[in-house]
């Protein structure tokens, strides 16, 4: 299977962070997403971890056409189709099965599959994926692991996610094989509870200023 560049890479040229989002109401989804986009983070990963996730994806995609809405925690081909139909432009999975890899071909949505080892990265490459999520980043070896993967697998690009904050993000972004990082630190739970959208926008602005490799 030929390895084609991920269309998602083109959207990440000046975007160092993809917020990983868990929404419990559509109203929160709209306000938080608006604050993130206004702060300079237009790519949003809305995870399928809550009952309102699909509705939130649909609402944000419709209300914020300038955003690039994605879906996270996609585990099956059925979910891949569901998030595409809801308006997601990309999907993120914590790992990669052969069934999901096959189902992503021609599905009309870009898949960012997760890997944690060299063998998993090689399997993803065989399935045609060259842009991968490194997950769970900190638990799977962090920056040293990605440095080690660069030598034998320099053709791969990564979005490390899992346990990353703004300080750690800078170390990941300095690596030649890291395009961006995924993180939830830009949307603190207490800020959402207090409906402090201004604080979230400031955190997004801070994250958007991070320099990449």
């Amino acid at each position: 299977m030929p390895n084609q560049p991920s269309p998602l890479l083109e959207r990440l040229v000046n975007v160092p962070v993809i917020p990983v989002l868990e929404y419990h109401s559509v109203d929160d989804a709209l306000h938080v997403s608006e604050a993130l986009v206004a702060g300079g983070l237009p790519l949003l990963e809305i995870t399928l971890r809550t009952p309102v996730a699909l509705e939130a994806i649909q609402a944000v995609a419709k209300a914020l056409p300038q955003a690039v809405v994605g879906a996270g925690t996609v585990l099956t081909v059925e979910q891949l189709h569901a998030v595409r139909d809801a308006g997601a432009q990309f999907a993120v999975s914590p790992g990669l099965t052969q069934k999901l890899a096959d189902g992503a071909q021609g599905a009309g949505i870009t898949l960012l599959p997760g890997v944690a080892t060299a063998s998993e990265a090689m399997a993803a490459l065989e399935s045609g994926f060259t842009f991968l999520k490194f997950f769970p980043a900190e638990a799977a070896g962090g920056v040293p692991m990605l440095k080690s993967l660069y030598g034998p697998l320099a053709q791969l690009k990564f979005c490390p996610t899992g346990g990353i904050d703004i300080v750690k993000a800078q170390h990941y972004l300095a690596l030649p094989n890291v395009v961006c990082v995924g993180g939830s630190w830009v949307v603190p739970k207490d800020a959402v509870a207090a409906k402090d959208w201004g604080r979230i926008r400031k955190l997004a602005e801070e994250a958007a200023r991070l320099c990449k490799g």
Side-chain angles (χ1 to χ4, degrees):
M1 189 174 296
N3 296 315
Q4 300 294 331
S6 170
L8 192 55
L9 286 173
E10 299 175 10
R11 316 298 289 270
L12 284 161
V13 173
N14 295 305
V15 183
V17 178
I18 298 179
V20 179
L21 307 162
E22 186 176 304
Y23 289 136
H24 295 276
S25 81
V26 174
D27 187 63
D28 284 350
L30 290 169
H31 284 292
V32 171
S33 298
E34 185 178 19
L36 291 168
V37 173
L41 299 180
L43 278 85
L44 311 172
E45 178 188 336
I46 300 176
T47 62
L48 300 184
R49 298 177 188 173
T50 68
V52 303
L54 279 176
E55 189 180 353
I57 289 169
Q58 189 172 35
V60 173
K62 183 177 181 179
L64 298 172
Q66 69 272 40
V68 182
V69 180
T73 323
V74 173
L75 308 178
T76 67
V77 176
E78 291 74 20
Q79 287 180 325
L80 190 67
H81 292 164
V83 299
R84 176 203 62 199
D85 293 345
Q89 296 183 49
F90 67 97
V92 185
S93 59
L96 182 65
T97 64
Q98 193 58 54
K99 186 175 181 180
L100 186 59
D102 293 342
Q105 305 301 325
I109 185 171
T110 300
L111 178 65
L112 177 61
V115 301
T117 68
S119 293
E120 291 174 1
M122 289 171 62
L125 183 61
E126 282 187 357
S127 292
F129 297 96
T130 56
F131 181 33
L132 309 172
K133 171 182 178 177
F134 179 58
F135 176 83
E138 286 291 286
V143 169
M145 179 64 168
L146 284 171
K147 281 183 177 179
S148 297
L149 290 176
Y150 182 63
L153 295 167
Q155 69 269 54
L156 296 179
K157 299 294 183 182
F158 293 93
C159 173
T161 305
I164 299 175
D165 57 25
I166 193 164
V167 175
K168 293 174 182 175
Q170 297 175 71
H171 299 296
Y172 281 102
L173 291 168
L175 300 177
N177 54 345
V178 170
V179 175
C180 63
V181 302
S184 57
W185 83 87
V186 289
V187 185
K189 291 182 179 179
D190 60 340
V192 177
K195 301 193 181 300
D196 191 349
W197 317 129
R199 179 184 169 199
I200 292 171
R201 175 171 177 166
K202 287 179 181 177
L203 288 169
E205 290 171 345
E206 185 181 31
R209 288 194 294 267
L210 290 170
C211 295
K212 293 196 284 186

